[in-house]
Amino acid sequence: MQVGIIYLPVYYIESDQVSSRFPFLLGFDGKKTFFEPDLNNRISMRFVRKYPISTTKLNWNKFSKDYRFEASQFPDFRDIDIIYSSTKVNPTLGYTTINIPDKNKKYRYWRIISDSRIAAIGEIEFFNKEGNKLTGNLIKGNGENESIKNAFDNDVLTFAKGEVWYGLDLGDSVEIDRMRYIPRTDANNIFPGHTYELLYYDNGWVSVEVQEATNECIHFHNVPSNAVYWLRNLTEGVEERVFIYRRENIIWY
């Protein structure tokens, strides 16, 4: 048996699978740690993702420290305001929301630009004071880049990439309350409006709660401690892993 893996001992009665004991972790020292849910000691959990993130996926966005969002009244951007400059990679591969500093100033043209290479962007969205999402026509710098449409197609799993700046012509000068963007992502972060279910194993999977996320993180309370857990996105997505919870940290298996 391989160490560092969680196992579930089972046996069969005809075609039915039956658990013989609680799940256990086979440690690197060969010792077994069993996870029997403690119903008397309850904990709270906070999630920003439902699946572990790898170094490979973080490297998708290794250029994300070097770009900025600019707004202008002119299509050639001869007079610009820098609205936001990226300083770090979002560690969850989720959305970053930017509140516009001067909400009374109107702009027609918006773009993402870099002095070196523009990062891969999954989606860019603009909202007015009423919370309505604004749309417009694609604009870009000199050069061919068919992928830029992916930053505005309402699909976070497609993404724009390349060295040509790109953005939107909103059609008129309008006030923007906030904007948000997401880098190239695996869509395993927490999405507002999606429904999630947390389960733990106790001779079968037991549901703790089903709830709809209202922002980019989600909390579950009154959860039995010392168990093996499973977080599911019931709205979409199939990548899921079991995990344990130690000192307010998720340890995926």
Side-chain angles (χ1 to χ4, degrees), residues 19-36:
S19 301
S20 62
R21 297 190 69 181
F22 291 103
F24 68 87
L25 171 65
L26 182 60
F28 291 96
D29 57 1
K31 294 182 179 179
K32 298 176 183 177
T33 301
F34 284 88
F35 297 99
E36 180 177 355

Side-chain angles (χ1 to χ4, degrees), residues 63 66-68 113-118 162-164:
F63 297 102
D66 184 30
Y67 60 86
R68 59 190 181 274
I113 189 170
S114 172
D115 294 327
S116 56
R117 177 178 174 181
I118 298 177
E163 299 178 2
V164 177

Side-chain angles (χ1 to χ4, degrees), residues 7-205:
Y7 293 91
L8 176 64
V10 298
Y11 62 93
Y12 284 88
I13 299 178
E14 295 182 349
S15 60
D16 295 329
Q17 181 177 284
V18 180
S19 301
S20 62
R21 297 190 69 181
F22 291 103
F24 68 87
L25 171 65
L26 182 60
F28 291 96
D29 57 1
K31 294 182 179 179
K32 298 176 183 177
T33 301
F34 284 88
F35 297 99
E36 180 177 355
D38 188 343
L39 305 182
N40 295 318
N41 291 293
R42 305 271 176 155
I43 58 176
S44 296
M45 294 183 177
R46 175 182 180 273
F47 299 91
V48 294
R49 287 181 59 85
K50 70 172 182 67
Y51 193 79
I53 190 167
S54 65
T55 301
T56 298
K57 290 179 180 179
L58 286 176
N59 283 338
W60 289 346
N61 301 289
K62 60 184 177 182
F63 297 102
S64 293
K65 296 181 180 180
D66 184 30
Y67 60 86
R68 59 190 181 274
F69 289 96
E70 298 177 346
S72 179
Q73 290 284 69
F74 305 97
D76 59 0
F77 289 85
R78 62 180 179 269
D79 182 20
I80 64 166
D81 285 334
I82 298 176
I83 304 302
Y84 178 80
S85 295
S86 173
T87 58
K88 61 181 180 180
V89 178
N90 188 324
T92 71
L93 300 186
Y95 276 103
T96 295
T97 298
I98 304 159
N99 291 311
I100 307 304
D102 187 352
K103 300 182 187 301
N104 295 317
K105 193 166 184 179
K106 296 181 179 181
Y107 302 99
R108 175 171 174 173
Y109 303 96
W110 291 77
R111 72 178 179 181
I112 178 173
I113 189 170
S114 172
D115 294 327
S116 56
R117 177 178 174 181
I118 298 177
I121 300 295
E123 201 72 21
I124 304 172
E125 299 175 326
F126 301 92
F127 300 89
N128 61 19
K129 292 182 178 179
E130 289 71 39
N132 298 317
K133 182 179 175 180
L134 302 177
T135 59
N137 295 315
L138 289 175
I139 55 175
K140 67 179 181 67
N142 295 326
E144 294 299 321
N145 189 348
E146 291 297 322
S147 74
I148 63 173
K149 64 181 182 297
N150 295 334
F152 307 97
D153 65 353
N154 299 312
D155 183 354
V156 298
L157 288 175
T158 63
F159 58 94
K161 60 180 180 179
E163 299 178 2
V164 177
W165 66 258
Y166 53 89
L168 280 185
D169 172 3
L170 297 178
D172 198 1
S173 297
V174 296
E175 297 174 358
I176 302 294
D177 180 72
R178 62 185 172 90
M179 61 171 292
R180 68 174 188 167
Y181 72 97
I182 191 169
R184 181 183 176 185
T185 184
D186 60 359
N188 284 315
N189 47 294
I190 302 300
F191 286 99
H194 286 200
T195 301
Y196 295 85
E197 181 180 21
L198 178 64
L199 307 98
Y200 67 95
Y201 197 88
D202 188 0
N203 196 29
W205 289 107

